[in-house]
Amino acid sequence: MNVQAVLFDCDGVLVDSEPATFDLLGEELSAHGLMMSHKAMEHMFIGGTIEGVARQAREMGATLPADWVESYYTRLYARLREGVALMPGIAELLDRLDAAGIAYAVGSNGRMAKMEATLSQYPDIKARLDGRLFSGQDMGCPKPAPDLYLHAARAVGADPGACVVIEDSPTGAGAAKAAGMRCLGYAPQGPNPHLAAEGAELFTDMAQVPKLIGLG
């Protein structure tokens, strides 16, 4: 079946927001009694929700206040608005998809407000995604549940089996698998066995995607 739609994760796939997110998270956890390296946080929390982070961190001994999730979001959005980079090759990839008539949408575990904070820095990209940004957290169906990607497929009129998901986390790859969708695992730093273990086909550069989905 020909590819009808490409469904993107946001953080770490469209925008390089994860370094700032984990920097702030490390500061926050340390301030509340839990020291974790960037690598450990990435391994444990990438692809999840802040609510899930709070639950796990408290289980590990962090003394997070009751209102920590909302206060963290406020500080995170402010930090992200200071500037995040667009992932290399994203604009060119969207150009190729437009030229081929292939639909696209975004399914993120982050809140819509987070996508607004990052993607609004790139008005052209944001405009192209208007009406096609979906938050699993806001919708009450975060990954690894398949609902978010199934919803995104319906929104662009695509058969789930003809969708390709681009993810950088095992959680997201698991959601794609549960939705019956092929997953390309973005691993710009090289081999990512946790991502591959969820059935993702690893690639390192967005310029590789057209060939991987049959555009040549």
Side-chain angles (χ1 to χ4, degrees):
M1 185 180 290
N2 291 333
V3 173
Q4 296 174 2
V6 174
L7 308 179
F8 294 88
D9 178 39
C10 187
D11 299 299
V13 171
L14 294 181
V15 290
D16 193 17
S17 53
E18 288 173 346
T21 300
F22 283 120
D23 284 349
L24 178 60
L25 182 59
E27 294 167 16
E28 292 280 322
L29 295 182
S30 176
H32 292 94
L34 180 61
M35 302 290 294
M36 293 185 72
S37 68
H38 190 289
K39 185 173 182 180
M41 288 188 294
E42 184 174 295
H43 175 70
M44 182 166 291
F45 302 134
I46 194 168
T49 64
I50 298 303
E51 285 80 358
V53 169
R55 183 175 59 255
Q56 290 175 277
R58 288 186 178 112
E59 290 172 355
M60 296 169 67
T63 56
L64 301 176
D67 66 347
W68 179 79
V69 168
E70 292 305 322
S71 65
Y72 174 80
Y73 273 125
T74 298
R75 290 187 287 276
L76 176 62
Y77 299 156
R79 184 163 297 193
L80 292 174
R81 290 189 189 100
E82 293 174 5
V84 296
L86 196 66
M87 282 302 199
I90 283 295
E92 293 80 3
L93 177 54
L94 296 185
D95 287 343
R96 289 294 303 275
L97 296 177
D98 285 335
I102 295 175
Y104 46 85
V106 178
S108 174
N109 264 2
R111 293 183 178 183
M112 190 67 72
K114 186 179 182 184
M115 288 188 275
E116 290 285 345
T118 57
L119 293 171
S120 292
Q121 298 173 39
Y122 300 94
D124 177 61
I125 299 296
K126 178 72 161 42
R128 294 163 80 169
L129 296 170
D130 186 42
R132 291 181 281 179
L133 295 170
F134 305 103
S135 164
Q137 196 166 343
D138 290 354
M139 293 169 57
C141 55
K143 310 167 196 176
D147 309 59
L148 176 60
Y149 280 134
L150 291 172
H151 177 85
R154 287 193 298 270
V156 296
D159 184 320
C163 291
V164 173
V165 170
I166 299 182
E167 271 287 353
D168 72 324
S169 77
T171 301
K177 182 167 62 175
M181 300 176 181
R182 180 186 176 198
C183 182
L184 301 181
Y186 184 46
Q189 306 304 318
N192 186 325
H194 300 291
L195 191 52
E198 290 295 335
E201 304 167 40
L202 302 186
F203 72 103
T204 60
D205 190 315
M206 290 296 171
Q208 297 170 301
V209 173
K211 184 176 181 180
L212 289 169
I213 64 174
L215 294 183

